[in-house]
Amino acid sequence: MSGLLDKANTAAQQASEDEVAAAATPAPVKAEAPTPTPAAAKAAVAGSDEGLPLPAILSSVGGIGLFVGLLLSLQGGFIPFFVTGAVLLVAVGAIVLADQIQGKDLNVIKTGGAVVLAVLIAIVPYTAGVVAPDGEALVISEVSLDEANDRLEFKVRGSFDATTVTITTAPNCDGTAGDTGEVVWEETLSLDRDFVRVQPMLSDFFCGNAYDEVNNVIRTYTVTATDGADMSASFELDASQMTRTPLESGVRIAPVFETTNNAQQQTTTTTFEGITIEVMAGLLPSSHGHLDGADHSPSGDLRTVQGDYTITVNVKKGSSTVWTHPLITVDGLDASWSSSVNGARSGDMNGWLALSGTTEENFREYVSASALDYENGKYTFEVVLDVGTSSGGTVITHNDVCWDLDFENGDEYNSNWEAPTC
């Protein structure tokens, strides 16, 4: 009986100890998923789409916006300032929003850099027209000569509504001296940006060469722009560009011979076939002249002229014109004409210009003896320069070039021919 009682006590004691241990051991806790933050939810939604994530797209939009703003700003005031500013504001906003969507803190360096860049893009090109006070900026720039359209081109920049531009020459066009020179062109122009483009035609103001034949400045052309108040700017046109009228010309010729071999008779025959002709035009010193031997003094003293004119060359036998070269048109220094042998031809007026003829041999054209109705005697080579109104003159004729030609057959090598001046 006592044994059963001991077993019961032992079992009760064990049960009590088990209850204590169970109470000391914490109950397992069921894991719960954390509640997502709003930023993380947006990022999850953005990342779930296929293609580029939204932050990358916004960053790209911001970069493109800055570039577009730069292009608009560089239009020099043609695009209104508020349009450029709005584009730049959207660009900076896109860059900031790209970071916010990702739940990041504001990147001060990145955002500040974008803002500084946007401000520089916006204000630098507008400085002359917006920052500078009215009447305190006036500049003449980008001066060039448009030979294709025969006009002068330049820009007047400033912060004013209109500018009056004048071109003055000294001495006066009639050669008389004046205290301030003669105004040969004037126009008042409105500014639709921060500059105005000025394009006076050469024919409207040119009235004589700036250089003489030995490079002395004999005439000046001065451009002046004013805002109508106390601001003005001026500059003097390049004397070489304002030397546009050729006043002198030169001619030289050379005989063309042809040698034929007769194999059966073992002889050679040399015959006079015609002449080549070269011409030059520009400014020449008074010492220049045509020489015996159908030649001309060296062309090193020639001052070339960049102008617009035409050249006609007539060959006269006695008082009759026996041949005329096709009309040569000069634009700047470029000469062009149409040859009856080879069609379109061209050259430049920097020195001697080889002319066309009536036939060709060994890649050179020459005027045949038959075209000249050749016989020994006096021939005059007349040069007509039609300088036109665009270069300040009319027609200049040089008909004092004459040689007494004596080109005999068989004289190619022994040079037993004569061509003294008339």
PDB file of all heavy atoms in Angstrom, residues 27 34 68-69 74 91 143 161 207 216 220 229 256 261 272-273 286 300 302 308 324 364 385 396 405 417:
ATOM      1  N   ALA A  27       5.830  30.700 -25.954  1.00  0.00           N
ATOM      2  CA  ALA A  27       5.096  30.084 -27.068  1.00  0.00           C
ATOM      3  C   ALA A  27       5.620  30.616 -28.388  1.00  0.00           C
ATOM      4  O   ALA A  27       5.988  31.792 -28.495  1.00  0.00           O
ATOM      5  CB  ALA A  27       3.592  30.375 -26.917  1.00  0.00           C
ATOM      6  N   PRO A  34       5.891  42.350 -43.273  1.00  0.00           N
ATOM      7  CA  PRO A  34       5.843  43.784 -42.926  1.00  0.00           C
ATOM      8  C   PRO A  34       4.971  44.547 -43.902  1.00  0.00           C
ATOM      9  O   PRO A  34       4.891  44.229 -45.087  1.00  0.00           O
ATOM     10  CB  PRO A  34       7.310  44.215 -43.027  1.00  0.00           C
ATOM     11  CG  PRO A  34       7.921  43.251 -43.978  1.00  0.00           C
ATOM     12  CD  PRO A  34       7.223  41.951 -43.734  1.00  0.00           C
ATOM     13  N   VAL A  68      17.629  70.534 -74.831  1.00  0.00           N
ATOM     14  CA  VAL A  68      16.688  71.343 -75.619  1.00  0.00           C
ATOM     15  C   VAL A  68      16.698  72.794 -75.145  1.00  0.00           C
ATOM     16  O   VAL A  68      16.665  73.731 -75.942  1.00  0.00           O
ATOM     17  CB  VAL A  68      15.267  70.742 -75.535  1.00  0.00           C
ATOM     18  CG1 VAL A  68      14.243  71.673 -76.183  1.00  0.00           C
ATOM     19  CG2 VAL A  68      15.229  69.375 -76.208  1.00  0.00           C
ATOM     20  N   GLY A  69      16.762  72.977 -73.832  1.00  0.00           N
ATOM     21  CA  GLY A  69      16.832  74.341 -73.306  1.00  0.00           C
ATOM     22  C   GLY A  69      18.062  75.078 -73.793  1.00  0.00           C
ATOM     23  O   GLY A  69      18.007  76.275 -74.104  1.00  0.00           O
ATOM     24  N   LEU A  74      20.342  79.340 -77.225  1.00  0.00           N
ATOM     25  CA  LEU A  74      21.344  79.783 -78.199  1.00  0.00           C
ATOM     26  C   LEU A  74      20.735  80.447 -79.417  1.00  0.00           C
ATOM     27  O   LEU A  74      21.464  80.877 -80.304  1.00  0.00           O
ATOM     28  CB  LEU A  74      22.194  78.577 -78.647  1.00  0.00           C
ATOM     29  CG  LEU A  74      23.135  77.998 -77.581  1.00  0.00           C
ATOM     30  CD1 LEU A  74      23.857  76.782 -78.124  1.00  0.00           C
ATOM     31  CD2 LEU A  74      24.130  79.053 -77.110  1.00  0.00           C
ATOM     32  N   ALA A  91      12.842  70.149 -66.958  1.00  0.00           N
ATOM     33  CA  ALA A  91      13.994  69.244 -66.955  1.00  0.00           C
ATOM     34  C   ALA A  91      14.512  69.019 -65.536  1.00  0.00           C
ATOM     35  O   ALA A  91      14.764  67.876 -65.117  1.00  0.00           O
ATOM     36  CB  ALA A  91      15.099  69.815 -67.842  1.00  0.00           C
ATOM     37  N   VAL A 143      31.810  90.378 -90.021  1.00  0.00           N
ATOM     38  CA  VAL A 143      31.881  91.116 -91.283  1.00  0.00           C
ATOM     39  C   VAL A 143      32.410  90.186 -92.373  1.00  0.00           C
ATOM     40  O   VAL A 143      33.412  89.493 -92.186  1.00  0.00           O
ATOM     41  CB  VAL A 143      32.795  92.345 -91.148  1.00  0.00           C
ATOM     42  CG1 VAL A 143      32.813  93.145 -92.449  1.00  0.00           C
ATOM     43  CG2 VAL A 143      32.343  93.218 -89.989  1.00  0.00           C
ATOM     44  N   ASP A 161      16.116  99.084 -79.597  1.00  0.00           N
ATOM     45  CA  ASP A 161      15.009  98.741 -80.489  1.00  0.00           C
ATOM     46  C   ASP A 161      15.383  98.885 -81.958  1.00  0.00           C
ATOM     47  O   ASP A 161      14.894  98.149 -82.806  1.00  0.00           O
ATOM     48  CB  ASP A 161      13.797  99.633 -80.191  1.00  0.00           C
ATOM     49  CG  ASP A 161      13.233  99.367 -78.806  1.00  0.00           C
ATOM     50  OD1 ASP A 161      13.366  98.209 -78.344  1.00  0.00           O
ATOM     51  OD2 ASP A 161      12.698 100.298 -78.188  1.00  0.00           O
ATOM     52  N   CYS A 207      32.316 103.458-104.835  1.00  0.00           N
ATOM     53  CA  CYS A 207      32.529 104.495-105.844  1.00  0.00           C
ATOM     54  C   CYS A 207      34.009 104.694-106.184  1.00  0.00           C
ATOM     55  O   CYS A 207      34.382 105.735-106.704  1.00  0.00           O
ATOM     56  CB  CYS A 207      31.896 105.820-105.416  1.00  0.00           C
ATOM     57  SG  CYS A 207      32.651 106.590-103.958  1.00  0.00           S
ATOM     58  N   ASN A 216      49.108 101.965-102.092  1.00  0.00           N
ATOM     59  CA  ASN A 216      48.830 103.136-101.263  1.00  0.00           C
ATOM     60  C   ASN A 216      47.320 103.242-101.058  1.00  0.00           C
ATOM     61  O   ASN A 216      46.546 103.067-102.011  1.00  0.00           O
ATOM     62  CB  ASN A 216      49.335 104.423-101.925  1.00  0.00           C
ATOM     63  CG  ASN A 216      50.843 104.470-101.997  1.00  0.00           C
ATOM     64  OD1 ASN A 216      51.536 104.098-101.057  1.00  0.00           O
ATOM     65  ND2 ASN A 216      51.376 104.929-103.132  1.00  0.00           N
ATOM     66  N   THR A 220      38.972 105.447 -98.215  1.00  0.00           N
ATOM     67  CA  THR A 220      38.518 104.638 -97.085  1.00  0.00           C
ATOM     68  C   THR A 220      36.997 104.515 -97.111  1.00  0.00           C
ATOM     69  O   THR A 220      36.291 105.401 -97.585  1.00  0.00           O
ATOM     70  CB  THR A 220      38.944 105.242 -95.739  1.00  0.00           C
ATOM     71  OG1 THR A 220      38.378 106.559 -95.610  1.00  0.00           O
ATOM     72  CG2 THR A 220      40.464 105.318 -95.633  1.00  0.00           C
ATOM     73  N   ALA A 229      21.193 107.448 -79.668  1.00  0.00           N
ATOM     74  CA  ALA A 229      21.489 108.207 -78.453  1.00  0.00           C
ATOM     75  C   ALA A 229      22.987 108.461 -78.391  1.00  0.00           C
ATOM     76  O   ALA A 229      23.535 109.133 -79.253  1.00  0.00           O
ATOM     77  CB  ALA A 229      20.978 107.445 -77.227  1.00  0.00           C
ATOM     78  N   VAL A 256      52.253  79.176-132.764  1.00  0.00           N
ATOM     79  CA  VAL A 256      52.124  77.725-132.690  1.00  0.00           C
ATOM     80  C   VAL A 256      52.601  77.152-134.023  1.00  0.00           C
ATOM     81  O   VAL A 256      52.103  77.533-135.089  1.00  0.00           O
ATOM     82  CB  VAL A 256      50.669  77.299-132.417  1.00  0.00           C
ATOM     83  CG1 VAL A 256      50.539  75.776-132.447  1.00  0.00           C
ATOM     84  CG2 VAL A 256      50.194  77.844-131.082  1.00  0.00           C
ATOM     85  N   ASN A 261      56.796  64.988-140.389  1.00  0.00           N
ATOM     86  CA  ASN A 261      57.886  64.149-140.895  1.00  0.00           C
ATOM     87  C   ASN A 261      57.459  63.438-142.176  1.00  0.00           C
ATOM     88  O   ASN A 261      56.384  62.829-142.217  1.00  0.00           O
ATOM     89  CB  ASN A 261      58.309  63.120-139.846  1.00  0.00           C
ATOM     90  CG  ASN A 261      58.900  63.775-138.602  1.00  0.00           C
ATOM     91  OD1 ASN A 261      59.703  64.696-138.709  1.00  0.00           O
ATOM     92  ND2 ASN A 261      58.487  63.289-137.436  1.00  0.00           N
ATOM     93  N   PHE A 272      53.585  77.334-139.716  1.00  0.00           N
ATOM     94  CA  PHE A 272      52.942  78.198-138.732  1.00  0.00           C
ATOM     95  C   PHE A 272      51.448  77.907-138.747  1.00  0.00           C
ATOM     96  O   PHE A 272      50.789  77.990-139.780  1.00  0.00           O
ATOM     97  CB  PHE A 272      53.215  79.670-139.061  1.00  0.00           C
ATOM     98  CG  PHE A 272      52.366  80.636-138.286  1.00  0.00           C
ATOM     99  CD1 PHE A 272      52.518  80.782-136.921  1.00  0.00           C
ATOM    100  CD2 PHE A 272      51.394  81.398-138.934  1.00  0.00           C
ATOM    101  CE1 PHE A 272      51.732  81.657-136.198  1.00  0.00           C
ATOM    102  CE2 PHE A 272      50.608  82.294-138.225  1.00  0.00           C
ATOM    103  CZ  PHE A 272      50.777  82.424-136.845  1.00  0.00           C
ATOM    104  N   GLU A 273      50.888  77.571-137.550  1.00  0.00           N
ATOM    105  CA  GLU A 273      49.484  77.159-137.463  1.00  0.00           C
ATOM    106  C   GLU A 273      48.577  78.212-136.849  1.00  0.00           C
ATOM    107  O   GLU A 273      47.381  78.253-137.132  1.00  0.00           O
ATOM    108  CB  GLU A 273      49.379  75.869-136.647  1.00  0.00           C
ATOM    109  CG  GLU A 273      50.084  74.680-137.278  1.00  0.00           C
ATOM    110  CD  GLU A 273      49.457  74.269-138.589  1.00  0.00           C
ATOM    111  OE1 GLU A 273      48.217  74.333-138.708  1.00  0.00           O
ATOM    112  OE2 GLU A 273      50.206  73.889-139.514  1.00  0.00           O
ATOM    113  N   SER A 286      52.703 102.322-113.784  1.00  0.00           N
ATOM    114  CA  SER A 286      52.860 103.051-115.042  1.00  0.00           C
ATOM    115  C   SER A 286      54.034 102.542-115.864  1.00  0.00           C
ATOM    116  O   SER A 286      54.111 102.786-117.071  1.00  0.00           O
ATOM    117  CB  SER A 286      53.047 104.549-114.753  1.00  0.00           C
ATOM    118  OG  SER A 286      54.173 104.750-113.890  1.00  0.00           O
ATOM    119  N   GLY A 300      54.715  90.303-112.205  1.00  0.00           N
ATOM    120  CA  GLY A 300      54.858  90.349-110.758  1.00  0.00           C
ATOM    121  C   GLY A 300      54.360  91.648-110.153  1.00  0.00           C
ATOM    122  O   GLY A 300      54.037  91.696-108.960  1.00  0.00           O
ATOM    123  N   LEU A 302      51.615  93.107-111.020  1.00  0.00           N
ATOM    124  CA  LEU A 302      50.159  93.166-111.130  1.00  0.00           C
ATOM    125  C   LEU A 302      49.511  93.084-109.756  1.00  0.00           C
ATOM    126  O   LEU A 302      49.832  92.199-108.967  1.00  0.00           O
ATOM    127  CB  LEU A 302      49.649  92.009-111.998  1.00  0.00           C
ATOM    128  CG  LEU A 302      48.128  91.816-112.025  1.00  0.00           C
ATOM    129  CD1 LEU A 302      47.463  92.959-112.774  1.00  0.00           C
ATOM    130  CD2 LEU A 302      47.767  90.469-112.649  1.00  0.00           C
ATOM    131  N   ASP A 308      33.647  92.429-109.958  1.00  0.00           N
ATOM    132  CA  ASP A 308      32.669  91.847-110.877  1.00  0.00           C
ATOM    133  C   ASP A 308      32.735  92.628-112.185  1.00  0.00           C
ATOM    134  O   ASP A 308      32.355  93.804-112.232  1.00  0.00           O
ATOM    135  CB  ASP A 308      31.262  91.930-110.288  1.00  0.00           C
ATOM    136  CG  ASP A 308      31.164  91.234-108.941  1.00  0.00           C
ATOM    137  OD1 ASP A 308      31.197  89.999-108.936  1.00  0.00           O
ATOM    138  OD2 ASP A 308      31.083  91.927-107.917  1.00  0.00           O
ATOM    139  N   THR A 324      37.065  87.364-132.291  1.00  0.00           N
ATOM    140  CA  THR A 324      36.694  87.831-130.951  1.00  0.00           C
ATOM    141  C   THR A 324      36.583  86.637-130.016  1.00  0.00           C
ATOM    142  O   THR A 324      35.924  85.637-130.346  1.00  0.00           O
ATOM    143  CB  THR A 324      35.360  88.595-130.969  1.00  0.00           C
ATOM    144  OG1 THR A 324      35.490  89.766-131.795  1.00  0.00           O
ATOM    145  CG2 THR A 324      34.954  89.010-129.567  1.00  0.00           C
ATOM    146  N   ARG A 364      46.123  72.232-125.644  1.00  0.00           N
ATOM    147  CA  ARG A 364      46.054  73.691-125.584  1.00  0.00           C
ATOM    148  C   ARG A 364      45.260  74.191-126.774  1.00  0.00           C
ATOM    149  O   ARG A 364      45.331  73.632-127.871  1.00  0.00           O
ATOM    150  CB  ARG A 364      47.450  74.312-125.573  1.00  0.00           C
ATOM    151  CG  ARG A 364      48.256  74.058-126.839  1.00  0.00           C
ATOM    152  CD  ARG A 364      49.571  74.814-126.825  1.00  0.00           C
ATOM    153  NE  ARG A 364      50.351  74.516-128.024  1.00  0.00           N
ATOM    154  CZ  ARG A 364      51.510  75.095-128.308  1.00  0.00           C
ATOM    155  NH1 ARG A 364      52.016  76.015-127.487  1.00  0.00           N
ATOM    156  NH2 ARG A 364      52.172  74.774-129.399  1.00  0.00           N
ATOM    157  N   LEU A 385      37.219  96.127-120.877  1.00  0.00           N
ATOM    158  CA  LEU A 385      36.809  95.801-119.512  1.00  0.00           C
ATOM    159  C   LEU A 385      35.503  96.522-119.207  1.00  0.00           C
ATOM    160  O   LEU A 385      35.463  97.758-119.133  1.00  0.00           O
ATOM    161  CB  LEU A 385      37.881  96.229-118.501  1.00  0.00           C
ATOM    162  CG  LEU A 385      39.289  95.674-118.715  1.00  0.00           C
ATOM    163  CD1 LEU A 385      40.256  96.301-117.694  1.00  0.00           C
ATOM    164  CD2 LEU A 385      39.308  94.164-118.598  1.00  0.00           C
ATOM    165  N   ILE A 396      36.061 100.285-119.926  1.00  0.00           N
ATOM    166  CA  ILE A 396      37.432 100.734-120.152  1.00  0.00           C
ATOM    167  C   ILE A 396      37.990  99.934-121.317  1.00  0.00           C
ATOM    168  O   ILE A 396      37.989  98.700-121.284  1.00  0.00           O
ATOM    169  CB  ILE A 396      38.307 100.524-118.906  1.00  0.00           C
ATOM    170  CG1 ILE A 396      37.715 101.259-117.702  1.00  0.00           C
ATOM    171  CG2 ILE A 396      39.735 100.982-119.155  1.00  0.00           C
ATOM    172  CD1 ILE A 396      38.390 100.906-116.381  1.00  0.00           C
ATOM    173  N   LEU A 405      53.500  91.415-136.948  1.00  0.00           N
ATOM    174  CA  LEU A 405      53.800  89.985-136.907  1.00  0.00           C
ATOM    175  C   LEU A 405      54.468  89.503-138.193  1.00  0.00           C
ATOM    176  O   LEU A 405      54.101  89.911-139.294  1.00  0.00           O
ATOM    177  CB  LEU A 405      52.505  89.185-136.666  1.00  0.00           C
ATOM    178  CG  LEU A 405      51.706  89.544-135.408  1.00  0.00           C
ATOM    179  CD1 LEU A 405      50.484  88.643-135.277  1.00  0.00           C
ATOM    180  CD2 LEU A 405      52.578  89.465-134.167  1.00  0.00           C
ATOM    181  N   TRP A 417      61.715  84.617-136.444  1.00  0.00           N
ATOM    182  CA  TRP A 417      60.503  85.381-136.705  1.00  0.00           C
ATOM    183  C   TRP A 417      60.535  86.659-135.875  1.00  0.00           C
ATOM    184  O   TRP A 417      61.273  86.759-134.900  1.00  0.00           O
ATOM    185  CB  TRP A 417      59.235  84.578-136.401  1.00  0.00           C
ATOM    186  CG  TRP A 417      59.179  83.929-135.031  1.00  0.00           C
ATOM    187  CD1 TRP A 417      59.510  82.648-134.736  1.00  0.00           C
ATOM    188  CD2 TRP A 417      58.762  84.543-133.794  1.00  0.00           C
ATOM    189  NE1 TRP A 417      59.349  82.407-133.392  1.00  0.00           N
ATOM    190  CE2 TRP A 417      58.879  83.560-132.783  1.00  0.00           C
ATOM    191  CE3 TRP A 417      58.330  85.824-133.441  1.00  0.00           C
ATOM    192  CZ2 TRP A 417      58.559  83.801-131.451  1.00  0.00           C
ATOM    193  CZ3 TRP A 417      57.997  86.067-132.118  1.00  0.00           C
ATOM    194  CH2 TRP A 417      58.122  85.071-131.122  1.00  0.00           C
TER     195      TRP A 417
END
